[in-house]
Amino acid sequence: MKLETFNTILLVILVALSLVLTAFVWTFQSNGFESDNLITEEPQTLDGTEKQLADLVRPSHVYINEENNHFVFASKDDTEEAFVNGLSEWTLTNLKQSELSSIPDTSIELVYPVTISYSQLNTLFQVEGTNSDTSSLVNGEFTRIYLSNNDDNTTTLIFLNETLDNPLENVVTATVVNSVNDVINDKEDLLAAVPLAENQSNAWDQIYLPQNLQIENRVVRSETVSRDEFSNIYLDDPITLGDQYIDSNRLESVKFSNNGNYGTYYTNRTSSTRAASRAEQLQAAIHAINSHKGWTNNFRLYDVAGKGNFTFEFRMILDGYPVFQQNKLSLLSIQMQYGHPEPGRYERTLLNISSTSGRPDGEKTLTAQEVKNWISDNNYISRDIQDVAVGYQLEEFDSDIYKYKLSPYWYIEVDGRWIEVGDNTAGGTD
């Protein structure tokens, strides 16, 4: 074979090999880009925000007690919120279990709507030696915190669980270097309050009402999360049957009610993983809602129900006050499963209420005496009343711009139901 012929054949082989390798490289890159697109696909969200436990677990009441005189903050969304926010910067020391003979006469009292596990203290405060100091308290819970000033201007914190038979026999105390003297002594930011029942034997059973409170009515704009936005969080290509969206294997579904303003997701999937504690399930619930930025309004934890699989109920808050509505349009409720990262049932308002885009609509005066009179007139017994609160009633408003009106009322809680003071019907308010 001549040398030129050999070189020609070799050149043809090399060119062919080059073409094959080039085609392979291009095919590989194309598949790679396709894979990258799948990985970086944006998750479905409701365009809300993410929250931490300290944003959601907040006291429903803050009382300032000075012997026989009692006060509340004049502004819940200003001075009270600033005070509670500052607590997260406090560092707890000398954390220990104790027994007390009485509660201090002068204190700031924080009342929580649910029991809180001591294992979650380090999410609400800075705790010195968190890993060791809270380990012995992991199975305990508290419902109230008393802040009492010491002679050296430090503050003692008393964590008390009012659900125990004798709460004073099993309290937890801690110390912080911060002083609460200024808050107690500065009456300019406080309103006088009176006890609901004059002859209550235990300080931790007492409910205090501001004597006279003026709150603005408000009209507000709102938007509604679309059905597709909510259903797409959990369902891929669902079958639509009227107000219900069902996935192809019929293990998950989403149902809408109240003209599309309320959505309920539930699943028949089960998990065989270990049972999680209530505190762990609460963290999982918050994470589940954070995963789709589901905090479309300001919410706070107001109720926990169930055993094993706990249901956590978060209530909408506006200007520091809870919002009530008969069709649950102010609620977000999520039930977790044993050790499972996703909820078994998740129902929520799809309204996004914007108080910043609203306007005042007159002012209303609320007095403690009207609550007492109504309770007496309707034959309620003070010891059967679990709580009393000022809250906004969410009402439809006939306007092209403002869709809802927020009207302040007194509410009492009886047997877990909130009842509007002045409402003489048999039903409660959600």
Side-chain angles (χ1 to χ4, degrees):
M1 182 183 293
K2 293 184 179 181
L3 183 58
E4 289 111 356
T5 303
F6 175 82
N7 288 339
T8 300
I9 294 172
L10 182 60
L11 182 60
V12 170
I13 292 172
L14 291 174
V15 170
L17 182 61
S18 175
L19 290 172
V20 171
L21 289 174
T22 300
F24 176 81
V25 169
W26 276 106
T27 303
F28 175 79
Q29 287 177 333
S30 176
N31 290 339
F33 288 137
E34 191 173 304
S35 175
D36 287 345
N37 288 336
L38 291 173
I39 294 173
T40 59
E41 184 179 351
E42 289 293 325
Q44 295 290 336
T45 76
L46 301 186
D47 292 329
T49 61
E50 297 181 14
K51 299 280 188 182
Q52 302 302 315
L53 186 136
D55 302 320
L56 301 161
V57 177
R58 312 274 289 189
S60 51
H61 303 289
V62 179
Y63 302 137
I64 294 88
N65 306 312
E66 195 173 23
E67 297 186 351
N68 292 324
N69 298 312
H70 308 280
F71 306 88
V72 296
F73 283 105
S75 173
K76 289 187 75 69
D77 65 335
D78 186 5
T79 49
E80 180 177 306
E81 185 167 354
F83 174 74
V84 175
N85 287 343
L87 299 180
S88 62
E89 303 299 322
W90 289 11
T91 300
L92 307 186
T93 61
N94 303 322
L95 198 65
K96 59 184 179 181
Q97 290 181 296
S98 304
E99 182 177 336
L100 298 179
S101 59
S102 63
I103 295 297
D105 291 332
T106 298
S107 66
I108 297 177
E109 181 180 356
L110 310 179
V111 184
Y112 290 84
V114 300
T115 56
I116 303 169
S117 170
Y118 286 120
S119 65
Q120 296 172 316
L121 266 186
N122 60 341
T123 64
L124 305 178
F125 298 92
Q126 307 293 321
V127 182
E128 186 177 78
T130 299
N131 291 336
S132 57
D133 283 353
T134 60
S135 59
S136 61
L137 311 172
V138 69
N139 293 322
E141 297 174 321
F142 64 91
T143 57
R144 297 185 183 228
I145 308 175
Y146 294 87
L147 314 177
S148 176
N149 213 64
N150 299 318
D151 292 336
D152 59 357
N153 275 334
T154 61
T155 296
T156 294
L157 286 79
I158 302 169
F159 297 86
L160 178 142
N161 185 353
E162 66 194 76
T163 65
L164 299 177
D165 291 337
N166 191 342
L168 294 179
E169 289 183 353
N170 189 18
V171 301
V172 170
T173 61
T175 305
V176 296
V177 297
N178 313 72
S179 172
V180 294
N181 254 348
D182 289 344
V183 177
I184 295 173
N185 294 330
D186 187 4
K187 302 298 189 292
E188 185 176 335
D189 294 328
L190 305 179
L191 293 176
V194 294
L196 175 65
E198 297 292 343
N199 300 315
Q200 194 67 263
S201 57
N202 298 321
W204 54 86
D205 289 333
Q206 191 57 272
I207 298 170
Y208 297 102
L209 315 174
Q211 278 186 315
N212 191 299
L213 188 64
Q214 290 186 317
I215 307 180
E216 288 181 337
N217 295 290
R218 298 186 65 82
V219 290
V220 293
R221 294 188 174 100
S222 75
E223 296 179 355
T224 301
V225 174
S226 75
R227 298 181 181 216
D228 287 346
E229 281 181 297
F230 184 57
S231 64
N232 287 346
I233 294 170
Y234 295 106
L235 309 182
D236 293 322
D237 299 322
I239 303 166
T240 305
L241 299 173
D243 287 328
Q244 193 166 15
Y245 289 39
I246 305 173
D247 74 342
S248 57
N249 58 19
R250 296 186 179 272
L251 292 177
E252 298 174 286
S253 66
V254 173
K255 188 173 183 179
F256 297 94
S257 56
N258 294 325
N259 297 318
N261 291 321
Y262 196 81
T264 302
Y265 160 82
Y266 52 93
T267 178
N268 293 322
R269 298 180 188 275
T270 58
S271 172
S272 59
T273 56
R274 69 177 181 86
S277 68
R278 196 185 86 165
E280 290 171 322
Q281 287 189 44
L282 175 56
Q283 289 285 9
I286 295 171
H287 177 75
I289 299 170
N290 282 345
S291 68
H292 55 266
K293 295 187 177 180
W295 305 107
T296 49
N297 297 277
N298 188 15
F299 289 92
R300 289 184 191 165
L301 180 65
Y302 255 75
D303 192 26
V304 180
K307 292 183 178 179
N309 293 341
F310 292 97
T311 298
F312 303 95
E313 184 176 274
F314 301 89
R315 183 172 293 278
M316 191 187 297
I317 302 291
L318 284 174
D319 297 337
Y321 295 100
V323 179
F324 298 89
Q325 210 275 343
Q326 291 182 349
N327 294 322
K328 298 185 178 181
L329 295 186
S330 63
L331 297 179
L332 186 160
S333 176
I334 183 167
Q335 182 190 62
M336 301 308 293
Q337 299 182 87
Y338 281 122
H340 200 281
E342 297 296 343
R345 186 180 182 92
Y346 174 28
E347 51 184 297
R348 59 166 297 148
T349 177
L350 298 178
L351 288 182
N352 186 347
I353 303 292
S354 175
S355 61
T356 57
S357 64
R359 62 169 175 81
D361 189 48
E363 204 167 54
K364 187 174 182 179
T365 300
L366 302 175
T367 66
Q369 193 58 48
E370 67 183 279
V371 181
K372 293 185 174 185
N373 291 343
W374 188 86
I375 289 172
S376 176
D377 292 344
N378 288 271
N379 299 317
Y380 285 101
I381 302 172
S382 295
R383 66 172 177 268
D384 293 333
I385 295 174
Q386 297 166 280
D387 199 1
V388 179
V390 172
Y392 278 120
Q393 177 66 261
L394 184 65
E395 305 165 335
E396 290 189 12
F397 188 69
D398 187 16
S399 167
D400 292 336
I401 300 175
Y402 302 107
K403 298 300 182 184
Y404 289 93
K405 182 175 182 177
L406 295 164
S407 302
Y409 292 94
W410 284 107
Y411 290 86
I412 66 169
E413 185 184 16
V414 180
D415 294 330
R417 291 167 45 249
W418 286 97
I419 302 169
E420 178 189 316
V421 169
D423 183 1
N424 293 315
T425 61
T429 299
D430 292 315

